[in-house]
Short mmCIF file of all heavy atoms in Angstrom, two decimals:
data_model
loop_
_atom_site.label_atom_id
_atom_site.label_comp_id
_atom_site.label_asym_id
_atom_site.label_seq_id
_atom_site.Cartn_x
_atom_site.Cartn_y
_atom_site.Cartn_z
N SER A 80 -96.17 -61.02 299.39
CA SER A 80 -95.72 -59.70 299.83
C SER A 80 -96.36 -58.55 299.06
O SER A 80 -96.81 -57.56 299.65
CB SER A 80 -94.19 -59.60 299.74
OG SER A 80 -93.58 -60.41 300.71
N MET A 81 -96.39 -58.64 297.73
CA MET A 81 -96.91 -57.50 296.98
C MET A 81 -98.43 -57.37 297.13
O MET A 81 -98.98 -56.27 297.03
CB MET A 81 -96.53 -57.61 295.51
CG MET A 81 -95.04 -57.42 295.26
SD MET A 81 -94.37 -55.87 295.94
CE MET A 81 -93.61 -56.44 297.48
N ALA A 82 -99.12 -58.47 297.41
CA ALA A 82 -100.56 -58.38 297.65
C ALA A 82 -100.85 -57.70 298.99
O ALA A 82 -101.88 -57.04 299.15
CB ALA A 82 -101.20 -59.77 297.63
N LEU A 83 -99.94 -57.84 299.96
CA LEU A 83 -100.17 -57.24 301.27
C LEU A 83 -100.13 -55.72 301.24
O LEU A 83 -100.83 -55.06 302.01
CB LEU A 83 -99.12 -57.74 302.27
CG LEU A 83 -99.10 -59.22 302.60
CD1 LEU A 83 -98.08 -59.48 303.70
CD2 LEU A 83 -100.47 -59.73 303.02
N VAL A 84 -99.30 -55.14 300.37
CA VAL A 84 -99.04 -53.70 300.44
C VAL A 84 -100.31 -52.87 300.35
O VAL A 84 -100.59 -52.06 301.24
CB VAL A 84 -98.00 -53.29 299.37
CG1 VAL A 84 -97.87 -51.77 299.30
CG2 VAL A 84 -96.65 -53.91 299.68
N PRO A 85 -101.16 -53.03 299.32
CA PRO A 85 -102.38 -52.22 299.27
C PRO A 85 -103.48 -52.70 300.21
O PRO A 85 -104.29 -51.89 300.67
CB PRO A 85 -102.82 -52.31 297.81
CG PRO A 85 -102.18 -53.54 297.28
CD PRO A 85 -100.96 -53.80 298.08
N VAL A 86 -103.52 -54.00 300.51
CA VAL A 86 -104.61 -54.53 301.34
C VAL A 86 -104.40 -54.18 302.81
O VAL A 86 -105.33 -53.76 303.50
CB VAL A 86 -104.74 -56.06 301.15
CG1 VAL A 86 -105.71 -56.66 302.16
CG2 VAL A 86 -105.21 -56.37 299.73
N MET A 87 -103.18 -54.36 303.30
CA MET A 87 -102.89 -54.09 304.71
C MET A 87 -102.49 -52.64 304.96
O MET A 87 -102.34 -52.22 306.09
CB MET A 87 -101.78 -55.01 305.22
CG MET A 87 -102.12 -56.49 305.21
SD MET A 87 -100.87 -57.52 306.07
CE MET A 87 -101.40 -57.32 307.78
N LYS A 88 -102.31 -51.88 303.85
CA LYS A 88 -101.80 -50.51 303.96
C LYS A 88 -100.47 -50.52 304.74
O LYS A 88 -100.30 -49.86 305.76
CB LYS A 88 -102.82 -49.57 304.60
CG LYS A 88 -104.14 -49.50 303.83
CD LYS A 88 -105.05 -48.44 304.36
CE LYS A 88 -106.41 -48.38 303.71
NZ LYS A 88 -106.55 -48.90 302.38
N VAL A 89 -99.54 -51.29 304.19
CA VAL A 89 -98.25 -51.51 304.83
C VAL A 89 -97.51 -50.19 305.02
O VAL A 89 -97.50 -49.33 304.13
CB VAL A 89 -97.42 -52.50 303.99
CG1 VAL A 89 -95.98 -52.58 304.50
CG2 VAL A 89 -98.06 -53.88 304.00
N ASP A 90 -96.86 -50.04 306.18
CA ASP A 90 -96.16 -48.81 306.53
C ASP A 90 -94.66 -48.87 306.23
O ASP A 90 -94.08 -47.89 305.76
CB ASP A 90 -96.32 -48.53 308.03
CG ASP A 90 -97.77 -48.43 308.45
OD1 ASP A 90 -98.42 -47.45 308.05
OD2 ASP A 90 -98.25 -49.33 309.15
N LEU A 91 -94.03 -50.01 306.51
CA LEU A 91 -92.58 -50.09 306.52
C LEU A 91 -92.08 -51.17 305.57
O LEU A 91 -92.68 -52.24 305.46
CB LEU A 91 -92.08 -50.41 307.94
CG LEU A 91 -92.52 -49.45 309.06
CD1 LEU A 91 -92.10 -50.01 310.42
CD2 LEU A 91 -91.96 -48.06 308.85
N TYR A 92 -90.95 -50.89 304.92
CA TYR A 92 -90.34 -51.80 303.95
C TYR A 92 -88.89 -52.02 304.37
O TYR A 92 -88.14 -51.07 304.58
CB TYR A 92 -90.39 -51.19 302.56
CG TYR A 92 -89.83 -52.04 301.44
CD1 TYR A 92 -90.68 -52.72 300.57
CD2 TYR A 92 -88.45 -52.13 301.22
CE1 TYR A 92 -90.17 -53.48 299.53
CE2 TYR A 92 -87.94 -52.90 300.18
CZ TYR A 92 -88.80 -53.57 299.34
OH TYR A 92 -88.30 -54.33 298.30
N GLU A 93 -88.47 -53.28 304.45
CA GLU A 93 -87.10 -53.60 304.88
C GLU A 93 -86.12 -53.48 303.72
O GLU A 93 -86.01 -54.37 302.88
CB GLU A 93 -87.06 -55.01 305.47
CG GLU A 93 -87.78 -55.13 306.80
CD GLU A 93 -87.50 -56.45 307.50
OE1 GLU A 93 -86.75 -57.28 306.97
OE2 GLU A 93 -88.05 -56.64 308.60
N LEU A 94 -85.39 -52.36 303.68
CA LEU A 94 -84.34 -52.20 302.68
C LEU A 94 -83.14 -53.09 303.00
O LEU A 94 -82.38 -53.47 302.12
CB LEU A 94 -83.89 -50.75 302.60
CG LEU A 94 -84.80 -49.81 301.79
CD1 LEU A 94 -84.27 -48.39 301.82
CD2 LEU A 94 -84.95 -50.29 300.36
N SER A 95 -82.93 -53.40 304.26
CA SER A 95 -81.99 -54.44 304.65
C SER A 95 -82.79 -55.48 305.42
O SER A 95 -83.35 -55.18 306.48
CB SER A 95 -80.87 -53.87 305.53
OG SER A 95 -79.96 -54.90 305.88
N ASN A 96 -82.86 -56.68 304.86
CA ASN A 96 -83.68 -57.72 305.47
C ASN A 96 -82.81 -58.84 306.02
O ASN A 96 -81.57 -58.75 305.97
CB ASN A 96 -84.71 -58.25 304.45
CG ASN A 96 -84.04 -58.70 303.17
OD1 ASN A 96 -83.18 -59.56 303.17
ND2 ASN A 96 -84.44 -58.09 302.05
N ASN A 97 -83.43 -59.89 306.51
CA ASN A 97 -82.66 -60.91 307.20
C ASN A 97 -81.94 -61.89 306.28
O ASN A 97 -81.38 -62.88 306.75
CB ASN A 97 -83.52 -61.66 308.23
CG ASN A 97 -84.66 -62.45 307.61
OD1 ASN A 97 -84.63 -62.78 306.42
ND2 ASN A 97 -85.67 -62.75 308.41
N HIS A 98 -81.91 -61.61 304.99
CA HIS A 98 -81.05 -62.34 304.08
C HIS A 98 -79.78 -61.56 303.76
O HIS A 98 -78.96 -62.01 302.95
CB HIS A 98 -81.77 -62.71 302.79
CG HIS A 98 -82.76 -63.82 302.97
ND1 HIS A 98 -83.42 -64.42 301.92
CD2 HIS A 98 -83.21 -64.46 304.09
CE1 HIS A 98 -84.24 -65.37 302.39
NE2 HIS A 98 -84.12 -65.40 303.70
N VAL A 99 -79.64 -60.39 304.35
CA VAL A 99 -78.42 -59.58 304.20
C VAL A 99 -77.58 -59.85 305.44
O VAL A 99 -77.86 -59.36 306.53
CB VAL A 99 -78.76 -58.08 304.07
CG1 VAL A 99 -77.49 -57.26 303.91
CG2 VAL A 99 -79.69 -57.85 302.88
N TRP A 100 -76.54 -60.64 305.27
CA TRP A 100 -75.75 -61.14 306.39
C TRP A 100 -74.37 -60.50 306.42
O TRP A 100 -73.83 -60.07 305.40
CB TRP A 100 -75.53 -62.66 306.25
CG TRP A 100 -76.73 -63.50 306.46
CD1 TRP A 100 -78.01 -63.11 306.72
CD2 TRP A 100 -76.77 -64.94 306.41
NE1 TRP A 100 -78.84 -64.18 306.84
CE2 TRP A 100 -78.10 -65.33 306.66
CE3 TRP A 100 -75.80 -65.90 306.20
CZ2 TRP A 100 -78.49 -66.66 306.69
CZ3 TRP A 100 -76.18 -67.23 306.23
CH2 TRP A 100 -77.51 -67.61 306.48
#
Side-chain angles (χ1 to χ4, degrees):
S80 290
M81 291 306 100
L83 296 185
V84 172
V86 171
M87 297 189 82
K88 301 188 184 335
V89 171
D90 303 291
L91 304 172
Y92 182 103
E93 291 191 0
L94 280 178
S95 181
N96 54 58
N97 64 21
H98 286 187
V99 180
W100 290 2

